[in-house]
Amino acid sequence: MRRHLGLLAAGLYLVSVAVAAVIALVNDDLRVFRLGVVWEWAAGFRLDDALFGPKAMAAGLTVVAVLNTWMFWQILRLPARPDAGTDRRVIRVRRLLYWAAAISAVLWLPGELLPDALAEAFFLLVWGPLWVMFLLVLTGESSRFRAVGLVLASVCVVLSLESVIDELPGVHWPNTGWLISPADSAWLLMILIAQRRDGRWSRATVTFGLAGLAMPYGFQFFGGLLVPLFGPEALVIEWLSDELNVFYTVWLARSAHELAAPGAGPAAVGVAPAGPPRAFRLASAAVVLVPMIAMIEAEQTPRRTYSGREDRCYQWTSEYRWTSDYLPTCPDVVGARQPDLPRSEAEERAEADRYVAEENARCREAWPRVRARREGTSAYFLFEGGGYGIYDPERESGRESVDAALDDGFVGAGGGAVTVMTESENAPMCLTVKAFDSAPPLRLKGWKQVTEVGVVSTSGRLVVPMLEDGADEGSAVRLPNLAVKGPGRYRVRVYAGGEAQAYEQHLIVVFPGRSGKKVEYVR
């Protein structure tokens, strides 16, 4: 019966994904496919202008859909196993593990509708006891091992409690949430080591746990390496790190199921059960790798040019005086008529590129000691009046943030954008941006102004404009998308002043946060 339930759940999910895919193709709207796969609606993911390119985004969603189908089949196919013995701690831990698996698989969705403080409290209600009690049901571990694990568990509980308090209205708590992830990862690694030595858990369960632990870090690492090679399409790999929690969810369910197995401790270990069949491992690897290989496209769409007397280039260029308009299309014909034109345009572009590169080389990272999930430093070229913005490009922000910044004299937010006023104008400045998964430490020393505001991204993008051809302002190099968690609410912390140097220096720190209030730390 349980096996049939797993197949039914996986089948229903797969059918809903197929229906969403058909609707997305008919309406030319990738957002429908995203809604069917990850149950989230986000503006901006259309087939013709998706954030990572339509092919890359569609391939990434396909990977998520296949692995989610496998996840539902895995966690619901496990046969019922009664609680073993009379150890109440084992019974409680099994129930907590099942609750954690349910939250990871589906219950996060209604949690999005709850107030932030209540959602954080519900998470702590499940994971607080689980962090501590899981260590108590392990067998064969030394007291020193348990002590280290309990210290990590205590750190996770305390930091989670601080996150709950920080979400209460009118409460401002020190930003320590960024420590939860490394502490939880260290705790999980200790649990996996103990499971490997305990006789109740299979090798497959431990392998799934290791995959759930390592995959987010691996995807972020390789995604960052591939962006310079393949462009923005490679960012879909980082996006997958937030969606592919299937192995972690399966580990939770299997850990709960096998915890009730008879026999425990090193004496009962014997020969560990074999992992998944080789054919299954090869199929899983193909499911992940083949769509990613399909994402790789040409760096630039080929552009047709004309060069012979048989085409229209001679007719076109003879009818217009300004043949430079046809230089990209008819390079040979225009070059024959005006030999200096191609050379002068190339020299002019080279001179402009040289100037931008020299100004960009003057800028140094404003916060080098703290690594962010996404970061970048660039010279930013200011125009008349100065100022710059961080905005959601899919929203029409109007003048809300600009008017708010003018009234404030420094920072204003509104309409999916944050506007920052500068002391300089018609000159370059140095700008460093850093995006974190959670609030980083508050750094105030050495800055003249520090203000934090809230902004909403409906498309999953928060960008700083780049200096494009013909533009008067923008960054010298392309800075990353600062909305690391996709669509949602973010906090934007703006630092101005910095150390004394030739150019004005700013630091932008972005992290997820529900609050929309404005906080002035240094003014």
PDB file of all heavy atoms in Angstrom, residues 450-486:
ATOM      1  N   VAL A 450      25.662  55.243   7.016  1.00  0.00           N
ATOM      2  CA  VAL A 450      25.197  53.858   6.893  1.00  0.00           C
ATOM      3  C   VAL A 450      23.688  53.844   7.133  1.00  0.00           C
ATOM      4  O   VAL A 450      23.236  54.206   8.217  1.00  0.00           O
ATOM      5  CB  VAL A 450      25.896  52.907   7.881  1.00  0.00           C
ATOM      6  CG1 VAL A 450      25.399  51.474   7.677  1.00  0.00           C
ATOM      7  CG2 VAL A 450      27.407  52.975   7.731  1.00  0.00           C
ATOM      8  N   THR A 451      22.929  53.442   6.138  1.00  0.00           N
ATOM      9  CA  THR A 451      21.464  53.394   6.232  1.00  0.00           C
ATOM     10  C   THR A 451      20.967  52.093   5.617  1.00  0.00           C
ATOM     11  O   THR A 451      21.504  51.626   4.611  1.00  0.00           O
ATOM     12  CB  THR A 451      20.823  54.594   5.510  1.00  0.00           C
ATOM     13  OG1 THR A 451      21.239  55.802   6.150  1.00  0.00           O
ATOM     14  CG2 THR A 451      19.304  54.499   5.556  1.00  0.00           C
ATOM     15  N   GLU A 452      19.920  51.524   6.226  1.00  0.00           N
ATOM     16  CA  GLU A 452      19.356  50.252   5.750  1.00  0.00           C
ATOM     17  C   GLU A 452      17.872  50.444   5.448  1.00  0.00           C
ATOM     18  O   GLU A 452      17.134  51.022   6.250  1.00  0.00           O
ATOM     19  CB  GLU A 452      19.559  49.171   6.804  1.00  0.00           C
ATOM     20  CG  GLU A 452      19.166  47.776   6.365  1.00  0.00           C
ATOM     21  CD  GLU A 452      19.490  46.744   7.432  1.00  0.00           C
ATOM     22  OE1 GLU A 452      20.682  46.618   7.798  1.00  0.00           O
ATOM     23  OE2 GLU A 452      18.549  46.077   7.903  1.00  0.00           O
ATOM     24  N   VAL A 453      17.429  49.960   4.275  1.00  0.00           N
ATOM     25  CA  VAL A 453      16.030  50.065   3.867  1.00  0.00           C
ATOM     26  C   VAL A 453      15.571  48.713   3.326  1.00  0.00           C
ATOM     27  O   VAL A 453      16.363  47.800   3.120  1.00  0.00           O
ATOM     28  CB  VAL A 453      15.846  51.161   2.784  1.00  0.00           C
ATOM     29  CG1 VAL A 453      16.149  52.533   3.347  1.00  0.00           C
ATOM     30  CG2 VAL A 453      16.717  50.861   1.568  1.00  0.00           C
ATOM     31  N   GLY A 454      14.279  48.594   3.090  1.00  0.00           N
ATOM     32  CA  GLY A 454      13.705  47.374   2.531  1.00  0.00           C
ATOM     33  C   GLY A 454      13.264  47.578   1.096  1.00  0.00           C
ATOM     34  O   GLY A 454      12.892  48.677   0.688  1.00  0.00           O
ATOM     35  N   VAL A 455      13.320  46.487   0.308  1.00  0.00           N
ATOM     36  CA  VAL A 455      12.911  46.542  -1.085  1.00  0.00           C
ATOM     37  C   VAL A 455      12.293  45.195  -1.454  1.00  0.00           C
ATOM     38  O   VAL A 455      12.627  44.167  -0.862  1.00  0.00           O
ATOM     39  CB  VAL A 455      14.109  46.874  -2.010  1.00  0.00           C
ATOM     40  CG1 VAL A 455      15.112  45.733  -2.023  1.00  0.00           C
ATOM     41  CG2 VAL A 455      13.646  47.200  -3.419  1.00  0.00           C
ATOM     42  N   VAL A 456      11.403  45.198  -2.433  1.00  0.00           N
ATOM     43  CA  VAL A 456      10.727  43.974  -2.883  1.00  0.00           C
ATOM     44  C   VAL A 456      11.134  43.684  -4.318  1.00  0.00           C
ATOM     45  O   VAL A 456      11.083  44.571  -5.177  1.00  0.00           O
ATOM     46  CB  VAL A 456       9.194  44.120  -2.807  1.00  0.00           C
ATOM     47  CG1 VAL A 456       8.515  42.848  -3.315  1.00  0.00           C
ATOM     48  CG2 VAL A 456       8.763  44.416  -1.371  1.00  0.00           C
ATOM     49  N   SER A 457      11.538  42.435  -4.580  1.00  0.00           N
ATOM     50  CA  SER A 457      11.829  41.994  -5.935  1.00  0.00           C
ATOM     51  C   SER A 457      10.780  40.964  -6.348  1.00  0.00           C
ATOM     52  O   SER A 457      10.680  39.902  -5.732  1.00  0.00           O
ATOM     53  CB  SER A 457      13.232  41.370  -6.029  1.00  0.00           C
ATOM     54  OG  SER A 457      13.426  40.772  -7.283  1.00  0.00           O
ATOM     55  N   THR A 458       9.995  41.294  -7.354  1.00  0.00           N
ATOM     56  CA  THR A 458       8.978  40.352  -7.831  1.00  0.00           C
ATOM     57  C   THR A 458       9.515  39.412  -8.902  1.00  0.00           C
ATOM     58  O   THR A 458       8.949  38.354  -9.143  1.00  0.00           O
ATOM     59  CB  THR A 458       7.776  41.115  -8.404  1.00  0.00           C
ATOM     60  OG1 THR A 458       8.230  41.985  -9.440  1.00  0.00           O
ATOM     61  CG2 THR A 458       7.087  41.933  -7.315  1.00  0.00           C
ATOM     62  N   SER A 459      10.610  39.766  -9.540  1.00  0.00           N
ATOM     63  CA  SER A 459      11.157  38.943 -10.622  1.00  0.00           C
ATOM     64  C   SER A 459      12.316  38.072 -10.161  1.00  0.00           C
ATOM     65  O   SER A 459      12.776  37.224 -10.913  1.00  0.00           O
ATOM     66  CB  SER A 459      11.630  39.832 -11.776  1.00  0.00           C
ATOM     67  OG  SER A 459      12.805  40.549 -11.405  1.00  0.00           O
ATOM     68  N   GLY A 460      12.804  38.285  -8.941  1.00  0.00           N
ATOM     69  CA  GLY A 460      13.976  37.544  -8.496  1.00  0.00           C
ATOM     70  C   GLY A 460      15.274  38.191  -8.933  1.00  0.00           C
ATOM     71  O   GLY A 460      16.313  37.537  -8.982  1.00  0.00           O
ATOM     72  N   ARG A 461      15.225  39.489  -9.256  1.00  0.00           N
ATOM     73  CA  ARG A 461      16.430  40.209  -9.678  1.00  0.00           C
ATOM     74  C   ARG A 461      16.525  41.544  -8.962  1.00  0.00           C
ATOM     75  O   ARG A 461      15.533  42.264  -8.821  1.00  0.00           O
ATOM     76  CB  ARG A 461      16.426  40.447 -11.180  1.00  0.00           C
ATOM     77  CG  ARG A 461      16.410  39.191 -12.027  1.00  0.00           C
ATOM     78  CD  ARG A 461      16.406  39.512 -13.512  1.00  0.00           C
ATOM     79  NE  ARG A 461      17.658  40.112 -13.931  1.00  0.00           N
ATOM     80  CZ  ARG A 461      17.879  40.645 -15.132  1.00  0.00           C
ATOM     81  NH1 ARG A 461      16.897  40.691 -16.012  1.00  0.00           N
ATOM     82  NH2 ARG A 461      19.047  41.150 -15.447  1.00  0.00           N
ATOM     83  N   LEU A 462      17.717  41.875  -8.510  1.00  0.00           N
ATOM     84  CA  LEU A 462      18.065  43.205  -7.999  1.00  0.00           C
ATOM     85  C   LEU A 462      19.431  43.536  -8.589  1.00  0.00           C
ATOM     86  O   LEU A 462      20.417  42.865  -8.280  1.00  0.00           O
ATOM     87  CB  LEU A 462      18.111  43.224  -6.465  1.00  0.00           C
ATOM     88  CG  LEU A 462      16.762  43.201  -5.737  1.00  0.00           C
ATOM     89  CD1 LEU A 462      16.975  43.078  -4.237  1.00  0.00           C
ATOM     90  CD2 LEU A 462      15.944  44.456  -6.049  1.00  0.00           C
ATOM     91  N   VAL A 463      19.483  44.523  -9.452  1.00  0.00           N
ATOM     92  CA  VAL A 463      20.700  44.767 -10.214  1.00  0.00           C
ATOM     93  C   VAL A 463      21.124  46.224 -10.109  1.00  0.00           C
ATOM     94  O   VAL A 463      20.342  47.108  -9.742  1.00  0.00           O
ATOM     95  CB  VAL A 463      20.496  44.401 -11.698  1.00  0.00           C
ATOM     96  CG1 VAL A 463      20.147  42.929 -11.850  1.00  0.00           C
ATOM     97  CG2 VAL A 463      19.402  45.261 -12.327  1.00  0.00           C
ATOM     98  N   VAL A 464      22.393  46.439 -10.455  1.00  0.00           N
ATOM     99  CA  VAL A 464      22.961  47.774 -10.620  1.00  0.00           C
ATOM    100  C   VAL A 464      23.217  47.945 -12.112  1.00  0.00           C
ATOM    101  O   VAL A 464      23.781  47.047 -12.757  1.00  0.00           O
ATOM    102  CB  VAL A 464      24.281  47.913  -9.828  1.00  0.00           C
ATOM    103  CG1 VAL A 464      24.941  49.249 -10.121  1.00  0.00           C
ATOM    104  CG2 VAL A 464      24.014  47.767  -8.336  1.00  0.00           C
ATOM    105  N   PRO A 465      22.782  49.061 -12.735  1.00  0.00           N
ATOM    106  CA  PRO A 465      22.938  49.210 -14.184  1.00  0.00           C
ATOM    107  C   PRO A 465      24.401  49.223 -14.610  1.00  0.00           C
ATOM    108  O   PRO A 465      25.273  49.739 -13.903  1.00  0.00           O
ATOM    109  CB  PRO A 465      22.254  50.547 -14.474  1.00  0.00           C
ATOM    110  CG  PRO A 465      22.285  51.285 -13.179  1.00  0.00           C
ATOM    111  CD  PRO A 465      22.171  50.245 -12.113  1.00  0.00           C
ATOM    112  N   MET A 466      24.661  48.622 -15.771  1.00  0.00           N
ATOM    113  CA  MET A 466      26.006  48.576 -16.328  1.00  0.00           C
ATOM    114  C   MET A 466      26.171  49.671 -17.377  1.00  0.00           C
ATOM    115  O   MET A 466      25.202  50.083 -18.016  1.00  0.00           O
ATOM    116  CB  MET A 466      26.274  47.194 -16.945  1.00  0.00           C
ATOM    117  CG  MET A 466      27.685  47.013 -17.456  1.00  0.00           C
ATOM    118  SD  MET A 466      27.926  45.363 -18.161  1.00  0.00           S
ATOM    119  CE  MET A 466      29.621  45.529 -18.755  1.00  0.00           C
ATOM    120  N   LEU A 467      27.392  50.121 -17.572  1.00  0.00           N
ATOM    121  CA  LEU A 467      27.692  51.159 -18.558  1.00  0.00           C
ATOM    122  C   LEU A 467      27.628  50.543 -19.956  1.00  0.00           C
ATOM    123  O   LEU A 467      28.574  49.904 -20.407  1.00  0.00           O
ATOM    124  CB  LEU A 467      29.082  51.754 -18.302  1.00  0.00           C
ATOM    125  CG  LEU A 467      29.468  52.962 -19.155  1.00  0.00           C
ATOM    126  CD1 LEU A 467      28.601  54.157 -18.803  1.00  0.00           C
ATOM    127  CD2 LEU A 467      30.942  53.296 -18.968  1.00  0.00           C
ATOM    128  N   GLU A 468      26.495  50.698 -20.613  1.00  0.00           N
ATOM    129  CA  GLU A 468      26.302  50.142 -21.950  1.00  0.00           C
ATOM    130  C   GLU A 468      26.750  51.158 -22.997  1.00  0.00           C
ATOM    131  O   GLU A 468      27.008  52.332 -22.699  1.00  0.00           O
ATOM    132  CB  GLU A 468      24.831  49.787 -22.170  1.00  0.00           C
ATOM    133  CG  GLU A 468      24.242  48.841 -21.152  1.00  0.00           C
ATOM    134  CD  GLU A 468      24.733  47.412 -21.325  1.00  0.00           C
ATOM    135  OE1 GLU A 468      25.463  47.142 -22.317  1.00  0.00           O
ATOM    136  OE2 GLU A 468      24.384  46.570 -20.469  1.00  0.00           O
ATOM    137  N   ASP A 469      26.851  50.708 -24.265  1.00  0.00           N
ATOM    138  CA  ASP A 469      27.232  51.602 -25.352  1.00  0.00           C
ATOM    139  C   ASP A 469      26.242  52.765 -25.446  1.00  0.00           C
ATOM    140  O   ASP A 469      25.035  52.559 -25.528  1.00  0.00           O
ATOM    141  CB  ASP A 469      27.249  50.837 -26.679  1.00  0.00           C
ATOM    142  CG  ASP A 469      28.426  49.867 -26.761  1.00  0.00           C
ATOM    143  OD1 ASP A 469      29.380  50.032 -25.978  1.00  0.00           O
ATOM    144  OD2 ASP A 469      28.365  48.962 -27.604  1.00  0.00           O
ATOM    145  N   GLY A 470      26.779  53.964 -25.452  1.00  0.00           N
ATOM    146  CA  GLY A 470      25.932  55.139 -25.560  1.00  0.00           C
ATOM    147  C   GLY A 470      25.375  55.644 -24.246  1.00  0.00           C
ATOM    148  O   GLY A 470      24.748  56.697 -24.206  1.00  0.00           O
ATOM    149  N   ALA A 471      25.583  54.897 -23.154  1.00  0.00           N
ATOM    150  CA  ALA A 471      25.061  55.313 -21.848  1.00  0.00           C
ATOM    151  C   ALA A 471      26.011  56.300 -21.186  1.00  0.00           C
ATOM    152  O   ALA A 471      27.209  56.323 -21.469  1.00  0.00           O
ATOM    153  CB  ALA A 471      24.849  54.099 -20.955  1.00  0.00           C
ATOM    154  N   ASP A 472      25.454  57.123 -20.295  1.00  0.00           N
ATOM    155  CA  ASP A 472      26.256  58.117 -19.583  1.00  0.00           C
ATOM    156  C   ASP A 472      26.613  57.683 -18.178  1.00  0.00           C
ATOM    157  O   ASP A 472      27.440  58.327 -17.516  1.00  0.00           O
ATOM    158  CB  ASP A 472      25.486  59.443 -19.505  1.00  0.00           C
ATOM    159  CG  ASP A 472      25.236  60.029 -20.886  1.00  0.00           C
ATOM    160  OD1 ASP A 472      26.198  60.147 -21.662  1.00  0.00           O
ATOM    161  OD2 ASP A 472      24.064  60.352 -21.184  1.00  0.00           O
ATOM    162  N   GLU A 473      25.976  56.628 -17.678  1.00  0.00           N
ATOM    163  CA  GLU A 473      26.263  56.193 -16.322  1.00  0.00           C
ATOM    164  C   GLU A 473      26.107  54.677 -16.233  1.00  0.00           C
ATOM    165  O   GLU A 473      25.460  54.050 -17.072  1.00  0.00           O
ATOM    166  CB  GLU A 473      25.330  56.862 -15.324  1.00  0.00           C
ATOM    167  CG  GLU A 473      23.853  56.574 -15.548  1.00  0.00           C
ATOM    168  CD  GLU A 473      22.960  57.270 -14.538  1.00  0.00           C
ATOM    169  OE1 GLU A 473      23.163  57.046 -13.336  1.00  0.00           O
ATOM    170  OE2 GLU A 473      22.085  58.031 -14.964  1.00  0.00           O
ATOM    171  N   GLY A 474      26.734  54.100 -15.203  1.00  0.00           N
ATOM    172  CA  GLY A 474      26.659  52.662 -14.998  1.00  0.00           C
ATOM    173  C   GLY A 474      27.989  52.120 -14.525  1.00  0.00           C
ATOM    174  O   GLY A 474      28.998  52.825 -14.459  1.00  0.00           O
ATOM    175  N   SER A 475      28.002  50.828 -14.171  1.00  0.00           N
ATOM    176  CA  SER A 475      29.216  50.187 -13.661  1.00  0.00           C
ATOM    177  C   SER A 475      30.117  49.759 -14.817  1.00  0.00           C
ATOM    178  O   SER A 475      29.647  49.406 -15.904  1.00  0.00           O
ATOM    179  CB  SER A 475      28.850  48.968 -12.814  1.00  0.00           C
ATOM    180  OG  SER A 475      28.151  48.007 -13.575  1.00  0.00           O
ATOM    181  N   ALA A 476      31.430  49.780 -14.581  1.00  0.00           N
ATOM    182  CA  ALA A 476      32.391  49.411 -15.616  1.00  0.00           C
ATOM    183  C   ALA A 476      32.298  47.937 -15.969  1.00  0.00           C
ATOM    184  O   ALA A 476      32.497  47.551 -17.123  1.00  0.00           O
ATOM    185  CB  ALA A 476      33.807  49.752 -15.159  1.00  0.00           C
ATOM    186  N   VAL A 477      32.020  47.080 -14.988  1.00  0.00           N
ATOM    187  CA  VAL A 477      31.854  45.649 -15.217  1.00  0.00           C
ATOM    188  C   VAL A 477      30.472  45.243 -14.729  1.00  0.00           C
ATOM    189  O   VAL A 477      29.872  45.918 -13.895  1.00  0.00           O
ATOM    190  CB  VAL A 477      32.939  44.815 -14.493  1.00  0.00           C
ATOM    191  CG1 VAL A 477      34.314  45.172 -15.007  1.00  0.00           C
ATOM    192  CG2 VAL A 477      32.873  45.021 -12.982  1.00  0.00           C
ATOM    193  N   ARG A 478      29.963  44.130 -15.244  1.00  0.00           N
ATOM    194  CA  ARG A 478      28.630  43.679 -14.851  1.00  0.00           C
ATOM    195  C   ARG A 478      28.666  43.151 -13.417  1.00  0.00           C
ATOM    196  O   ARG A 478      29.419  42.229 -13.100  1.00  0.00           O
ATOM    197  CB  ARG A 478      28.121  42.586 -15.783  1.00  0.00           C
ATOM    198  CG  ARG A 478      26.662  42.216 -15.533  1.00  0.00           C
ATOM    199  CD  ARG A 478      26.184  41.205 -16.559  1.00  0.00           C
ATOM    200  NE  ARG A 478      26.275  41.726 -17.902  1.00  0.00           N
ATOM    201  CZ  ARG A 478      25.379  42.531 -18.459  1.00  0.00           C
ATOM    202  NH1 ARG A 478      24.315  42.928 -17.751  1.00  0.00           N
ATOM    203  NH2 ARG A 478      25.535  42.962 -19.700  1.00  0.00           N
ATOM    204  N   LEU A 479      27.860  43.728 -12.555  1.00  0.00           N
ATOM    205  CA  LEU A 479      27.771  43.295 -11.165  1.00  0.00           C
ATOM    206  C   LEU A 479      26.668  42.242 -11.038  1.00  0.00           C
ATOM    207  O   LEU A 479      25.715  42.231 -11.808  1.00  0.00           O
ATOM    208  CB  LEU A 479      27.485  44.494 -10.257  1.00  0.00           C
ATOM    209  CG  LEU A 479      28.619  45.530 -10.218  1.00  0.00           C
ATOM    210  CD1 LEU A 479      28.199  46.771  -9.448  1.00  0.00           C
ATOM    211  CD2 LEU A 479      29.893  44.942  -9.616  1.00  0.00           C
ATOM    212  N   PRO A 480      26.773  41.331 -10.064  1.00  0.00           N
ATOM    213  CA  PRO A 480      25.849  40.192 -10.004  1.00  0.00           C
ATOM    214  C   PRO A 480      24.440  40.565  -9.566  1.00  0.00           C
ATOM    215  O   PRO A 480      24.214  41.640  -8.997  1.00  0.00           O
ATOM    216  CB  PRO A 480      26.511  39.269  -8.969  1.00  0.00           C
ATOM    217  CG  PRO A 480      27.265  40.205  -8.085  1.00  0.00           C
ATOM    218  CD  PRO A 480      27.779  41.288  -8.990  1.00  0.00           C
ATOM    219  N   ASN A 481      23.516  39.653  -9.835  1.00  0.00           N
ATOM    220  CA  ASN A 481      22.159  39.769  -9.319  1.00  0.00           C
ATOM    221  C   ASN A 481      22.206  39.629  -7.801  1.00  0.00           C
ATOM    222  O   ASN A 481      22.711  38.637  -7.274  1.00  0.00           O
ATOM    223  CB  ASN A 481      21.281  38.684  -9.937  1.00  0.00           C
ATOM    224  CG  ASN A 481      19.894  38.633  -9.335  1.00  0.00           C
ATOM    225  OD1 ASN A 481      19.411  39.610  -8.763  1.00  0.00           O
ATOM    226  ND2 ASN A 481      19.247  37.484  -9.443  1.00  0.00           N
ATOM    227  N   LEU A 482      21.685  40.603  -7.083  1.00  0.00           N
ATOM    228  CA  LEU A 482      21.806  40.637  -5.622  1.00  0.00           C
ATOM    229  C   LEU A 482      20.640  39.962  -4.916  1.00  0.00           C
ATOM    230  O   LEU A 482      20.667  39.844  -3.688  1.00  0.00           O
ATOM    231  CB  LEU A 482      21.927  42.093  -5.151  1.00  0.00           C
ATOM    232  CG  LEU A 482      23.115  42.868  -5.747  1.00  0.00           C
ATOM    233  CD1 LEU A 482      23.103  44.310  -5.274  1.00  0.00           C
ATOM    234  CD2 LEU A 482      24.427  42.203  -5.393  1.00  0.00           C
ATOM    235  N   ALA A 483      19.636  39.507  -5.639  1.00  0.00           N
ATOM    236  CA  ALA A 483      18.488  38.810  -5.033  1.00  0.00           C
ATOM    237  C   ALA A 483      18.814  37.312  -4.971  1.00  0.00           C
ATOM    238  O   ALA A 483      18.386  36.529  -5.825  1.00  0.00           O
ATOM    239  CB  ALA A 483      17.218  39.063  -5.837  1.00  0.00           C
ATOM    240  N   VAL A 484      19.579  36.903  -3.964  1.00  0.00           N
ATOM    241  CA  VAL A 484      20.107  35.534  -3.913  1.00  0.00           C
ATOM    242  C   VAL A 484      19.026  34.496  -3.645  1.00  0.00           C
ATOM    243  O   VAL A 484      19.220  33.313  -3.927  1.00  0.00           O
ATOM    244  CB  VAL A 484      21.211  35.417  -2.843  1.00  0.00           C
ATOM    245  CG1 VAL A 484      22.403  36.253  -3.214  1.00  0.00           C
ATOM    246  CG2 VAL A 484      20.681  35.831  -1.463  1.00  0.00           C
ATOM    247  N   LYS A 485      17.895  34.889  -3.096  1.00  0.00           N
ATOM    248  CA  LYS A 485      16.824  33.941  -2.787  1.00  0.00           C
ATOM    249  C   LYS A 485      15.648  34.050  -3.756  1.00  0.00           C
ATOM    250  O   LYS A 485      14.564  33.551  -3.476  1.00  0.00           O
ATOM    251  CB  LYS A 485      16.331  34.156  -1.353  1.00  0.00           C
ATOM    252  CG  LYS A 485      17.341  33.769  -0.279  1.00  0.00           C
ATOM    253  CD  LYS A 485      17.626  32.277  -0.296  1.00  0.00           C
ATOM    254  CE  LYS A 485      18.542  31.875   0.836  1.00  0.00           C
ATOM    255  NZ  LYS A 485      18.827  30.422   0.833  1.00  0.00           N
ATOM    256  N   GLY A 486      15.871  34.699  -4.896  1.00  0.00           N
ATOM    257  CA  GLY A 486      14.799  34.820  -5.867  1.00  0.00           C
ATOM    258  C   GLY A 486      13.783  35.881  -5.465  1.00  0.00           C
ATOM    259  O   GLY A 486      14.091  36.808  -4.704  1.00  0.00           O
TER     260      GLY A 486
END
